[in-house]
Amino acid sequence: MPRNDMPIGIFDSGIGGLTVLKEIIATLPGENTIYLGDTARVPYGIRSPETVTRYSFENARFLSSKGVKMLVIACNTVSSISLGAVRKSAGMPVIGVIGPGARAAVSATKNRKVGVIGTEATIRSSAYARAISVLDSSIEVFGLPCPLFVPLVEEGWTEGEVAEMTAETYLKDMRDKNIDTLVLGCTHYPLLKNVISRVMGDEVVLIDSAVETARAIKTALTDLSLLGGGEGSTRHYYVTDSPEKFISVGERFLGRKIEYIEKIELGSEA
Ligand code: DGL
């Protein structure tokens, strides 16, 4: 049986999900968290649905074995492809990032034209378009993969000429669609918010799935009477490749120190 003092388990293909963890800490500072980044097999965004699902099960199983009360899939690619399958087998509440982002986009749009940017796999899955259409089928959704944003952010190039040019090149067609709302459908993209906003213009509302997901987690824990309220919450991290890069890049994503980190093995590596 899940208990309030158990940690929340969060997993991602690598470092990106730390943007979701950052929002969880801001919204629910009293919760203990365990974060798993599958850094040996990142990126998931270029892989087949079968492979993403296999990796997702391994991640979910590992976190279950650590005694978590809830699973958060802090990865748009995994949430797009495997949320249903993980939910069926997890035996605990599972929250993904697509539903919360889609709900926020539906409330924000006035002209019923919404853009979604993400990895190749997320856009190919049409998961955001489906989730938005279930809520309001009159909304037109335009998807666009922006794969180069991920390495750009990991390199720390979130401002400056290269970031501006990349964003301009990807987003110029999106600007022509007359959207008033753009979903940042990838864990890394919130770090490019300033550049994306400059390219798209002030009138386009940017939806940060990480912020929306943290709100959804709070609501779910409240509804299930599973909110933790402890003081001095613990933050544990597990990675599948060496921790050094995760720590240096991750501390920038998270805006805080990463301690208590351990390398683990999961399945067979790609
Ligand atoms: N975390 C992934 C996502 O949000 C981006 C990195 C990857 O391709 O694995 O889609």
Side-chain angles (χ1 to χ4, degrees):
M1 275 293 281
R3 287 190 325 267
N4 302 58
D5 60 342
M6 286 175 162
I8 301 174
I10 301 137
F11 77 84
D12 175 51
S13 55
I15 291 169
L18 292 174
T19 55
V20 180
L21 177 62
K22 182 178 181 190
E23 298 304 332
I24 295 173
I25 295 172
T27 309
L28 294 160
E31 296 292 337
N32 299 320
T33 57
I34 300 183
Y35 181 96
L36 167 62
D38 191 6
T39 47
R41 304 189 293 196
V42 72
Y44 284 11
I46 53 161
R47 299 190 192 277
S48 68
E50 295 71 32
T51 302
V52 171
T53 301
R54 181 159 53 85
Y55 291 174
S56 312
F57 278 128
E58 288 170 5
N59 294 334
R61 251 197 313 272
F62 173 78
L63 287 172
S64 301
S65 77
K66 294 285 163 196
V68 298
K69 63 182 172 185
M70 168 182 272
L71 276 179
V72 177
I73 303 183
C75 176
N76 288 260
T77 302
V78 174
S79 300
S80 301
I81 293 170
S82 333
L83 174 67
V86 173
R87 212 169 241 166
K88 247 187 230 155
S89 67
M92 70 178 88
V94 181
I95 306 261
V97 289
I98 307 292
R103 277 195 293 279
V106 171
S107 338
T109 184
K110 302 268 185 300
N111 74 357
R112 298 190 143 72
K113 289 183 196 295
V114 172
V116 178
I117 54 176
T119 63
E120 299 275 3
T122 297
I123 300 305
R124 207 181 321 117
S125 76
S126 301
Y128 273 107
R130 274 200 311 279
I132 290 171
S133 156
V134 165
L135 298 166
D136 184 342
S137 59
S138 70
I139 294 177
E140 227 181 320
V141 181
F142 304 94
L144 178 74
C146 302
L148 284 181
F149 282 171
V150 168
L152 213 57
V153 169
E154 294 201 359
E155 203 54 39
W157 293 7
T158 50
E159 290 288 346
E161 219 179 318
V162 179
E164 297 271 352
M165 265 174 57
T166 312
E168 176 64 36
T169 308
Y170 276 137
L171 297 173
K172 64 175 181 301
D173 289 345
M174 191 59 99
R175 232 173 12 218
D176 296 341
K177 305 284 190 220
N178 187 32
I179 58 164
D180 68 355
T181 304
L182 179 66
V183 180
L184 307 178
C186 175
T187 47
H188 291 57
Y189 299 1
L191 284 112
L192 286 166
K193 242 184 215 167
N194 292 342
V195 169
I196 293 172
S197 182
R198 271 201 297 279
V199 170
M200 292 305 296
D202 284 347
E203 58 295 348
V204 174
V205 178
L206 301 185
I207 303 294
D208 182 337
S209 304
V211 173
E212 304 305 331
T213 302
R215 288 197 189 124
I217 294 166
K218 185 171 184 182
T219 306
L221 288 176
T222 309
D223 291 350
L224 294 161
S225 304
L226 276 178
L227 270 180
E231 278 170 30
S233 27
T234 56
R235 314 261 162 245
H236 288 171
Y237 301 88
Y238 293 92
V239 286
T240 52
D241 201 354
S242 66
E244 286 74 27
K245 183 168 182 223
F246 183 88
I247 294 172
S248 63
V249 179
E251 287 184 346
R252 185 157 45 77
F253 274 52
L254 203 54
R256 62 164 61 215
K257 282 243 156 282
I258 292 178
E259 293 155 331
Y260 307 109
I261 184 163
E262 203 180 302
K263 179 177 180 288
I264 54 148
E265 297 277 336
L266 281 181
S268 57
E269 283 166 24

